[in-house]
Amino acid sequence: MTQIKRQPNPKNCGEAKVIPLTLNSLKVACSQCNLQELCLPLGLSETELGRVDTLVGARRKVKRGQHLYRAGDPFEAIYAVKTGFFKTDVLLEDGRDQVTGFQMAGELLGMDGISVEAHTCNAVALEDSEVCLIPYEQLEELSSEIRTLQRHFHKVMSREIVRDHGVMMLLGTMRAEERLAAFLLNLSQRFMARGYSSAEFHLRMTREEIGSYLGLKLETVSRAFSHFQEAGLIAVQQKHIRILDATALKQLLNRQPI
Amino acid sequence: MTQIKRQPNPKNCGEAKVIPLTLNSLKVACSQCNLQELCLPLGLSETELGRVDTLVGARRKVKRGQHLYRAGDPFEAIYAVKTGFFKTDVLLEDGRDQVTGFQMAGELLGMDGISVEAHTCNAVALEDSEVCLIPYEQLEELSSEIRTLQRHFHKVMSREIVRDHGVMMLLGTMRAEERLAAFLLNLSQRFMARGYSSAEFHLRMTREEIGSYLGLKLETVSRAFSHFQEAGLIAVQQKHIRILDATALKQLLNRQPI
DNA sequence: AAGTCACTTTGACCCAGATCAAACGACAGC
DNA sequence: GCTGTCGTTTGATCTGGGTCAAAGTGACTT
């Protein structure tokens, strides 16, 4: 039951607290977690799951606006979102930045850090959140013993690569409204997979963050929302979204630009 | 010394031949390969390297224009480029496609296939090429025994994720000439790492393929090349590129757009 | 209750890059 | 050598989305 040492942090603000593992918190470790079908332990047997419980060492609360990790932080663990919502972003030297993804419950964060043993992007909570720490050293150890875990971890990383290809596609070939439609449908589908409504949800991110992710300016995102609303595809009120015509949204994607 | 079964292929054209492992081909397995410092076996000991030799089962020649694999093909192996040059691309239902990457000697191909046990993109040789087959089942097996190999494989996948983030950045925030400058500098650096000139090289891909990768139209790519040439940054003659002022190219990237 | 602040919407205008079109160059096959 | 094909360059024009600006909308503070 290893607890990851907190990284030393010059400024003492904006950082999250590690919750040491107690009998109480163990109750929500993987074998009892209702996210297990979406998360790392997918497909493990009862006994294997028991061993993964010993891997997931501690949980950590991250308040809205706080960083889970920052680019440059030493890489020690990957994180599974237990509750809440995160964004990851990359920062260029010249100040430009881009949101590379949004993560919700059951999704993993931090795999970018393995390559150079340091995180290469920032992870910020968009609402009060809680994550499970998965110390990487131990994950390696356990996954060399449990083949299913190794296989599944590889799949998770591979899925991340495939997801990134999808974003590249979106950024490289789609027009503004297609990008937003794809984004909404993707969110909708992920909320559904978690048992929430696929038709009605609350955006945790600002128009600017959506724009950054989609390679658009916030005004363009706002205009696209308004246009979708006028066309009767969705109902928007600030961050509250209701999808009225999912089929039409999907058709927007399959339309040839020429 | 396993040989991967060739996938059944309806059309018998455009597919590559598997070369069974012979005593002769063994001479160029990993332990004797001058690419080992760029490829999968990086950082392995002598004895570990010997075991990896038994993993890399066969090589396969792929002629220019042929597919190494296609989206939808069952995933059985990843590939290391031995010689030559590849592109990978994704195809959307509506016919739009995008190049997601270019791969040269020492680089790995096919990790996108792990996630759903089928390839999710196409890999096409841009010149006559040869790849080493790394059967995935055996890679899993061996990497659970050799910790260094496991670690290194994770790093390779993680590096792919980080690379994709770089492309997302490029597509989401950079202007046409910045994208092309970034592309040229990246190629230059990769040629250098392989012992070729970083200042002078031959593009294996068309303007259209560059454009697809960079989210631009081929005309825009061509115009950017011409503009770089007028500005004395490079000399272009068809696919032959000479970088005259790498510093200026780098400065193009660090310039604030506002 | 009023003020502040962060986010969003909407309008007017502009420009980078797309589109359309035509000419040009390189190379393979006959 | 000629010819067809494919890729590239260059010009002219158009437009989607960026930019700039101002007003609107909550939500939180005092």
Side-chain angles (χ1 to χ4, degrees):
Chain A
M1 220 101 347
T2 313
Q3 184 181 332
I4 283 290
K5 232 187 24 261
R6 235 181 102 196
Q7 310 143 12
N9 185 34
K11 298 187 189 69
N12 211 10
C13 64
E15 285 301 317
K17 269 221 291 275
V18 171
I19 307 164
L21 193 65
T22 64
L23 216 65
N24 194 40
S25 68
L26 239 184
K27 287 197 187 134
V28 283
C30 299
S31 58
Q32 298 298 318
C33 177
N34 58 1
L35 288 166
Q36 70 176 252
E37 283 308 308
L38 292 163
C39 191
L40 194 60
L42 187 142
L44 297 190
S45 72
E46 283 286 312
T47 48
E48 288 166 340
L49 210 50
R51 300 192 62 192
V52 173
D53 278 346
T54 70
L55 167 65
V56 178
R59 283 182 292 138
R60 181 168 148 183
K61 281 191 192 296
V62 190
K63 282 220 162 296
R64 180 194 153 113
Q66 284 185 332
H67 280 75
L68 174 59
Y69 55 79
R70 292 167 196 271
D73 283 354
F75 171 73
E76 285 160 345
I78 62 172
Y79 304 92
V81 181
K82 176 92 182 127
T83 59
F85 209 95
F86 285 84
K87 71 166 177 181
T88 47
D89 59 16
V90 214
L91 192 72
L92 248 55
E93 316 81 65
D94 59 15
R96 280 183 286 199
D97 69 339
Q98 175 150 13
V99 173
T100 53
F102 297 104
Q103 294 80 21
M104 52 176 82
E107 293 173 341
L108 296 184
L109 275 163
M111 285 161 319
D112 59 279
I114 301 172
S115 63
V116 288
E117 287 157 34
H119 289 288
T120 61
C121 59
N122 304 294
V124 182
L126 295 182
E127 61 183 27
D128 292 358
S129 303
E130 197 170 353
V131 296
C132 303
L133 269 80
I134 305 168
Y136 179 65
E137 290 274 359
Q138 288 169 256
L139 174 61
E140 268 192 334
E141 208 166 309
L142 199 56
S143 75
S144 71
E145 291 174 39
I146 305 178
R147 185 60 69 83
T148 327
L149 180 63
Q150 183 194 38
R151 167 75 58 111
H152 186 61
F153 181 55
H154 289 171
K155 284 196 180 187
V156 168
M157 293 196 75
S158 175
R159 199 185 310 140
E160 180 73 13
I161 292 171
V162 174
R163 188 194 70 85
D164 290 345
H165 288 174
V167 177
M168 287 163 62
M169 196 80 202
L170 180 139
L171 291 170
T173 71
M174 292 187 185
R175 311 144 104 294
E177 298 198 349
E178 295 177 300
R179 295 184 200 188
L180 189 63
F183 174 72
L184 289 175
L185 289 169
N186 175 267
L187 275 187
S188 163
Q189 177 261 309
R190 283 155 75 196
F191 279 123
M192 189 168 61
R194 280 153 189 80
Y196 300 109
S197 168
S198 67
E200 195 164 1
F201 47 84
H202 183 81
L203 297 174
R204 272 72 172 180
M205 68 294 281
T206 67
R207 302 288 189 262
E208 187 169 18
E209 286 161 338
I210 297 173
S212 172
Y213 180 62
L214 299 178
L216 303 170
K217 292 292 155 183
L218 71 97
E219 294 95 328
T220 307
V221 174
S222 176
R223 275 185 246 269
F225 271 129
S226 301
H227 186 216
F228 284 172
Q229 176 148 258
E230 283 159 33
L233 303 185
I234 61 172
V236 207
Q237 197 176 21
Q238 300 288 124
K239 295 197 152 72
H240 186 87
I241 301 284
R242 209 145 40 90
I243 296 183
L244 304 173
D245 192 345
T247 318
L249 277 178
K250 277 172 205 145
Q251 278 169 356
L252 249 175
L253 292 183
N254 297 342
R255 277 257 313 287
Q256 277 284 60
I258 301 162
Chain B
M1 220 99 348
T2 313
Q3 184 180 332
I4 281 290
K5 227 179 37 256
R6 234 182 103 194
Q7 310 142 12
N9 186 35
K11 297 187 190 71
N12 211 11
C13 64
E15 286 301 315
K17 267 223 288 276
V18 171
I19 307 164
L21 193 65
T22 65
L23 215 63
N24 193 40
S25 67
L26 239 184
K27 285 195 188 138
V28 282
C30 299
S31 59
Q32 299 297 317
C33 177
N34 58 3
L35 288 167
Q36 67 175 255
E37 283 307 308
L38 293 164
C39 193
L40 195 60
L42 187 142
L44 297 190
S45 72
E46 283 286 311
T47 48
E48 288 166 340
L49 212 49
R51 300 191 62 191
V52 173
D53 278 347
T54 70
L55 167 65
V56 179
R59 282 181 293 137
R60 180 168 150 183
K61 282 191 192 296
V62 190
K63 283 221 161 296
R64 180 193 151 112
Q66 284 184 330
H67 281 76
L68 174 59
Y69 54 80
R70 292 167 195 271
D73 283 355
F75 170 73
E76 284 159 345
I78 62 172
Y79 304 91
V81 181
K82 176 94 183 123
T83 60
F85 208 95
F86 286 84
K87 71 166 178 183
T88 46
D89 59 17
V90 214
L91 193 74
L92 247 55
E93 315 82 66
D94 59 16
R96 280 182 286 199
D97 68 339
Q98 174 148 15
V99 173
T100 53
F102 298 105
Q103 294 80 21
M104 51 175 83
E107 294 173 340
L108 297 184
L109 273 163
M111 285 160 320
D112 59 279
I114 301 172
S115 62
V116 289
E117 285 156 37
H119 288 288
T120 61
C121 60
N122 304 294
V124 182
L126 295 182
E127 61 183 28
D128 292 358
S129 303
E130 196 170 352
V131 296
C132 304
L133 270 80
I134 305 168
Y136 178 65
E137 291 272 0
Q138 287 168 255
L139 174 60
E140 268 191 336
E141 208 165 312
L142 199 56
S143 74
S144 71
E145 291 174 38
I146 305 177
R147 185 61 69 82
T148 326
L149 180 63
Q150 183 193 38
R151 167 76 57 112
H152 187 62
F153 180 55
H154 290 171
K155 283 195 182 189
V156 168
M157 294 197 72
S158 174
R159 199 187 307 138
E160 180 73 13
I161 292 172
V162 174
R163 188 194 71 85
D164 290 345
H165 288 173
V167 178
M168 286 165 61
M169 195 79 201
L170 181 140
L171 292 170
T173 72
M174 292 187 184
R175 314 151 94 296
E177 297 198 350
E178 294 178 299
R179 295 184 200 188
L180 189 63
F183 174 72
L184 289 174
L185 290 168
N186 174 267
L187 274 188
S188 163
Q189 176 262 309
R190 283 154 75 195
F191 279 122
M192 188 167 63
R194 279 152 191 81
Y196 299 109
S197 168
S198 66
E200 197 165 1
F201 47 86
H202 182 82
L203 296 175
R204 272 72 172 181
M205 68 296 281
T206 66
R207 302 287 189 262
E208 188 170 16
E209 286 162 337
I210 298 173
S212 171
Y213 180 62
L214 299 178
L216 302 169
K217 292 290 152 183
L218 71 97
E219 295 95 327
T220 307
V221 174
S222 176
R223 274 184 248 268
F225 270 129
S226 302
H227 184 217
F228 285 171
Q229 176 148 259
E230 284 159 31
L233 303 185
I234 62 172
V236 206
Q237 197 175 24
Q238 300 288 125
K239 293 197 154 70
H240 186 87
I241 300 285
R242 208 146 41 88
I243 294 182
L244 304 174
D245 192 345
T247 317
L249 276 178
K250 278 171 203 145
Q251 278 169 355
L252 250 174
L253 292 183
N254 297 340
R255 276 257 311 289
Q256 275 287 61
I258 302 164

